[in-house]
Each structure stands twice: as C-alpha cells, then as structure tokens.
Amino acid sequence: MAERNSWAVSDSPNGVITTEDARLAVSALIQSGTTSVTSRDGIRAGSGDPGLVAAATPTPDKVVTVQPFQMFMRASRGIGSYVQTLDSVKTLDLLTDNPAHSSDARIDLIIVQQADKFYGDTSNAFAVKQIVGTPSSTPGEPGVPGSPDYFLLATVRIPGGATTITPEMITDRRPNWVVGLGGVVPVKNVEGRNAAAPYDGLTAYRRDRRWLEIHDGAAWRVPSIPVCSSVAEITATITDPVIGQMVFSTTDQLIYKWTGSAWLGAVPTGTTRHEARYEVRPGQEQAFAASTDTRLPFPTSVYTSPDITPSSGNTIFTLNRAGIWNITTNARFRAPGGADAYHFYLAIVDAGNLGIRYGNAQHYLTGGSTGNASVSATNLFTAGTRISALIWTTATTANGRTHLTDAVNINNLTLTWLRP
C-alpha cells in the first residue's frame, strides 16, 4: 500500500496497527537509509565494541564470544526495520560438534538472523549463530539456510587439523554503525563513510582520521582544520575540498589552503623553520677580484630550512617553495690604505642571471676605513628560483675582502618564506 497507518491510531475496540506499521514507526527515529522511508541497517553505536566476535586470549580454545549489541535490520520481505538485541555476551563453540577437517580448511560464518512467521518462517526467532562451511583446498563461504534477513558478524577460517580458534582466524564483518536520526554516525574509514547513504547535513565521524565530515548534498566536506601528515595525505584524504578549506600538515608545520585547483601552503606554524641563515665567521675572510661581479659565499650554516637548498659552496640558494620571500644580506668591508676612495656594491640577484637584481646597495670608503652594506628584497618567487648575494668592488684583490675581526656575525644572508 502507499499510505500506511499512522502511529498510533486505533479503531475501537480493535487496533489497526500492523507489525509493519509498528516497524515503520520505529524506523522513523533511526538514521536514514537508501530511501526517504527506510532506515539504515546496522549495529547501534554504543560503548565497548558491540557485536565484536573474538577468540579467547591469551589461551585460545574452541569457542568465540560475541559482545552484546542492539541492531536494526530492514525486513527484506516487507517494510520497516526489526529491532534486535543481544543483551549479554554469547559464546559459540565452533569445534566440539564440528571439528576441523584433518587437512582441508573451511570458512565458517558468524551471523545474526531474523525469522518471521508472517513471511513463512517456522519461528519468529532472532538468533546469533554459526554457519559451518565445507572443507576444501580452496574453501568458500557457505550459503545461509532459512530466513534471508541476516547479517554477517565475522568469518572464521579454520585450517585443517585446527583444535583451537585464534584471533588471526577471525575477520570482522560487522555491518556499519547506526545512530538516531540526525546523529553523528561513527564510521571506520572512507569506505564506511561512502556506504552511509548520505543526505544534505549527514555528519560522520571518521574513526581512522579522528575528524568530522559533513555531506552537503553533493559531496563529503571536512569542516574546521583537520590534521594530516603531508600534502600527499591531504590530497588523498580530503577528497572534495571547497575553496578556502584549511588543513594542517605535521611534516612541514604549515596550514594549507585549497585554491580550487591545488593545496597551497599558506600559514607557517610550529617548530619547522621556513627561514634559513648563513654567515661568514671570523677566520673565513674572503678576497675578491677588482671590478668583477662575484657570488658571495657564506660558509657557515646558522640554521637551515627544507624550503631552501644551498649549493655545495653556499653561494647559490634554491627556493623550494613558491610564494613571497624576504631576503636580506649584509657585508662589512675594509678599504685599502691611502687617500683614494673605493666603491663597494652589494646586491641580491638571480643566481642564473646576475643581471636580474632584486635589491642592491653601494658604499664608498676612504683608505683604511670600514663600512657595512645591507640589502633587503621582498618579492614573489616561483619554486626553483635560485638566489645569490653579489659583490663588486674597485678595491684590489689583496684588500677587497669582507672583514670580520671587529664585527662578529655581521656578514650574513637570511632567506625567509612569508606566505604564498
């Protein structure tokens, strides 16, 4: 019929509610199923591990135990959901009456099954039981006699000659969790989430990820700022991001943002450095040829970052992350003696094309005097850009050098990633 009797009408002196009407009324309180008038099949979420089939530990024997549970099962031969309960631990002896074959393995099923006389069964029983498989060199799962309304809780592969049941023989096959209508449904993984018959607003708790996902009628979305270990894991697990979605990566301590086409590192956090500093220390003074563009080396790595790869001589620095960078460099010089003035020039340049200069400074020194030249550049760079500090001086090779004995750590290059 199309219209069903409502809960709870009557026609005195006799009621008019059928068992199917009653099941439908209960179903209205349960998480939705595949249609708007059916509820989801599965075990009601609860404390402990409802419905778990387990072997005896630490000393195995012939039995398995089934943990208490309550579940909902749609009637395959009618409409509405049965409400079924196992209110205490049940023990099933798998081997005493059905010993293992001497050599061949078999696969047993642990099932829950609902019989119903209304549909021609011999009883109305709800049962948790063993279905014994057939021994074979290539065993398969046995058929289930009786009512078609049943679910698997576990399969147990019993090898030939087995005398006890061990945990590794058991494969968990329990159905999904079910919650009340509008509740947050726990799911084991993405497969469990995808099987949740989603509707706009359904919220799932991913037990494998420890985060919530909400279906918006089109796809599963991850709200808030979830945590992943890397960009690769972000890409694999956030399957349908929305523009502006934020995710934290524990590998590089960055918050990534979805641009609509890619995950872009946006905000540095935590202890992973996104800046590096290199210096010329006392005893590392360097001389340069006069009137020649020369890449300035910085022999000492003060602190490094995975965002920057230095060349072997610390003269070229490759930026591994695209975005806006701030780069600063400072050098201290001493001019040769005499009355002449000498020209010192310092620049931040493209290491592959010294003519591309992002910042520069120059300084004139009289004979025997010292002075500093500092340069800072903030620029948008693509990943793979190579940076150098360039020096040019009119001083002779013997005297045109950085000088550190009176100013420790003042000769340096610092590269800092700011944002995308």
Side-chain angles (χ1 to χ4, degrees):
M1 67 177 69
E3 293 89 349
R4 306 292 309 197
N5 289 322
S6 304
W7 187 271
V9 295
S10 64
D11 186 5
S12 181
N14 300 312
V16 296
I17 301 296
T18 68
T19 54
E20 289 186 339
D21 295 332
R23 287 201 298 267
L24 280 172
V26 173
S27 299
L29 305 177
I30 307 168
Q31 179 185 342
S32 296
T34 54
T35 73
S36 58
V37 294
T38 58
S39 62
R40 191 184 191 200
D41 290 327
I43 295 175
R44 190 180 73 167
S47 60
D49 209 344
L52 177 69
V53 177
T57 57
T59 303
D61 52 24
K62 297 180 180 182
V63 308
V64 296
T65 57
V66 183
Q67 292 300 305
F69 64 89
Q70 191 168 65
M71 71 178 299
F72 303 91
M73 181 189 295
R74 290 193 304 274
S76 65
R77 296 166 292 183
I79 194 168
S81 293
Y82 296 105
V83 182
Q84 302 143 320
T85 303
L86 180 71
D87 64 6
S88 61
V89 175
K90 179 160 187 174
T91 299
L92 296 172
D93 187 330
L94 305 189
L95 295 177
T96 298
D97 294 334
N98 299 282
H101 188 271
S102 59
S103 58
D104 288 340
R106 75 170 194 249
I107 296 175
D108 288 1
L109 309 181
I110 308 302
I111 70 166
V112 294
Q113 187 174 47
Q114 178 67 58
D116 194 327
K117 286 184 177 180
F118 184 79
Y119 301 115
D121 297 328
T122 57
S123 73
N124 289 318
F126 168 65
V128 178
K129 59 186 179 180
Q130 171 194 18
I131 304 295
V132 181
T134 301
S136 170
S137 58
T138 56
E141 295 182 6
V144 176
S147 169
D149 294 325
Y150 70 89
F151 279 125
L152 282 175
L153 293 180
T155 55
V156 185
R157 184 182 178 90
I158 300 174
T163 58
T164 60
I165 304 298
T166 59
E168 58 270 16
M169 297 180 186
I170 302 172
T171 301
D172 189 357
R173 298 283 295 276
R174 285 175 291 176
N176 298 303
W177 303 126
V178 174
V179 296
L181 187 65
V184 177
V185 57
V187 297
K188 294 179 182 178
N189 46 37
V190 67
E191 289 79 17
R193 182 206 69 181
N194 291 341
Y199 56 84
D200 191 356
L202 178 62
T203 302
Y205 172 69
R206 285 276 300 273
R207 295 164 63 193
D208 59 332
R209 301 303 311 176
R210 297 185 180 181
W211 68 41
L212 295 175
E213 297 190 27
I214 301 174
H215 203 274
D216 64 2
W220 288 98
R221 314 295 186 183
V222 182
S224 187
I225 300 182
V227 177
C228 288
S229 64
S230 64
V231 177
E233 189 177 51
I234 293 172
T235 302
T237 57
I238 311 296
T239 54
D240 291 284
V242 295
I243 293 177
Q245 170 87 53
M246 297 285 198
V247 184
F248 178 72
S249 168
T250 58
T251 297
D252 55 18
Q253 305 283 296
L254 279 177
I255 294 176
Y256 283 81
K257 179 178 69 175
W258 179 249
T259 66
S261 60
W263 288 103
L264 183 65
V267 181
T269 66
T271 58
T272 298
R273 288 189 181 276
H274 296 283
E275 68 280 344
R277 181 180 174 91
Y278 303 87
E279 293 180 352
V280 182
R281 295 285 180 83
Q284 297 174 337
E285 291 86 352
Q286 304 135 29
F288 304 97
S291 303
T292 301
D293 286 338
T294 306
R295 293 189 185 93
L296 185 61
F298 295 90
T300 298
S301 300
V302 182
Y303 47 83
T304 61
S305 167
D307 295 340
I308 299 133
T309 302
S311 64
S312 58
N314 283 15
T315 58
I316 297 174
F317 302 87
T318 301
L319 308 182
N320 301 322
R321 185 179 298 280
I324 296 176
W325 286 78
N326 177 255
I327 302 170
T328 62
T329 187
N330 188 87
R332 186 169 175 82
F333 305 99
R334 170 166 290 171
D340 293 336
Y342 298 91
H343 181 197
F344 293 91
Y345 177 85
L346 185 66
I348 297 170
V349 300
D350 186 297
N353 183 349
L354 302 185
I356 300 176
R357 306 190 177 190
Y358 304 110
N360 58 81
Q362 58 186 10
H363 201 63
Y364 288 92
L365 297 177
T366 59
S369 63
T370 59
N372 297 337
S374 297
V375 180
S376 179
T378 300
N379 203 65
L380 177 62
F381 294 106
T382 59
T385 298
R386 300 190 306 156
I387 297 294
S388 287
L390 178 146
I391 187 173
W392 184 92
T393 177
T394 58
T396 61
T397 301
N399 294 291
R401 63 173 182 257
T402 54
H403 187 77
L404 296 159
T405 56
D406 62 346
V408 176
N409 300 345
I410 202 169
N411 295 272
N412 61 76
L413 175 72
T414 303
L415 308 99
T416 304
W417 181 83
L418 300 177
R419 59 182 174 84

